[in-house]
Amino acid sequence: SAVISQKPSRDICQRGTSLTIQCQVDSQVTMMFWYRQQPGQSLTLIATANQGSEATYESGFVIDKFPISRPNLTFSTLTVSNMSPEDSSIYLCSVMTGGGGYTFGSGTRLTVV
Amino acid sequence: AQSVTQPDIHITVSEGASLELRCNYSYGATPYLFWYVQSPGQGLQLLLKYFSGDTLVQGIKGFEAEFKRSQSSFNLRKPSVHWSDAAEYFCATSNPQGAQKLVFGQGTRLTINP
């Protein structure tokens, strides 16, 4: 199955700033998914990123706050913009693997102070 | 849209005891179903998945799950838990014909008593 390298693994950021999270996959994949896991909560899908097209955002998430890039079939970035303490979460990327399963990156633990 | 419910937020069992974690799904047809485990400070690891066929699915670490269409359930079981099984467990589903995004349940936190 695919292996995802996600970075940074953690960061502490000042409110009002932005953080860009990167995910690199060791094989070409059509769709990449970005999730948020707030403290003590489950995973919520932010958006689906297809190469060559605009990302599709879930209800409650907007492009201005979470811009996504997908320049090729192995790489994607998620930016958390104009951060506030409420953005403190774990952010994970995911891809579909052969056989219909999903692989996840190790996550980015973000703390906004 | 598909959804998943995990009725138990927190379960405590003794080491060596059997375990069953509940998962109910909502979908018009047979969805794809998954169980993931997240240990403290760790990423998500796939335990097992169900797409079709045999309704009893074997996974890693001695876990199994049974798909029951009549009950819209996909419960996770293990005959004898180990202290290392303490973690958060997530049931998830995706639509075989749709957007293919994975939708997660609320999670069940498993505590093991020595």
Side-chain angles (χ1 to χ4, degrees), chain A residues 13-111:
Chain A
C13 300
Q14 296 291 323
R15 66 179 67 199
T17 63
S18 298
L19 175 71
T20 295
I21 302 166
Q22 301 179 3
C23 275
Q24 178 76 51
V25 189
D26 68 346
S27 58
Q28 294 185 339
V29 293
T30 304
M31 287 189 286
M32 292 183 72
F33 306 90
W34 287 97
Y35 289 85
R36 180 178 72 181
Q37 186 177 23
Q38 294 177 300
Q41 303 295 314
S42 184
L43 285 82
T44 301
L45 182 65
I46 297 171
T48 302
N50 286 327
Q51 194 270 334
S53 64
E54 292 288 328
T56 302
Y57 288 82
E58 297 297 304
S59 176
F61 297 95
V62 295
I63 187 171
D64 289 346
K65 177 66 175 178
F66 298 100
I68 288 171
S69 77
R70 185 81 203 275
N72 57 54
L73 291 172
T74 63
F75 186 78
S76 180
T77 68
L78 170 77
T79 299
V80 187
S81 303
N82 188 25
M83 289 183 285
S84 67
E86 292 71 36
D87 295 319
S88 297
S89 297
I90 299 173
Y91 293 86
L92 301 102
C93 61
S94 175
V95 301
M96 288 184 65
T97 61
Y102 297 80
T103 296
F104 287 80
S106 53
T108 297
R109 184 179 295 271
L110 171 63
T111 302

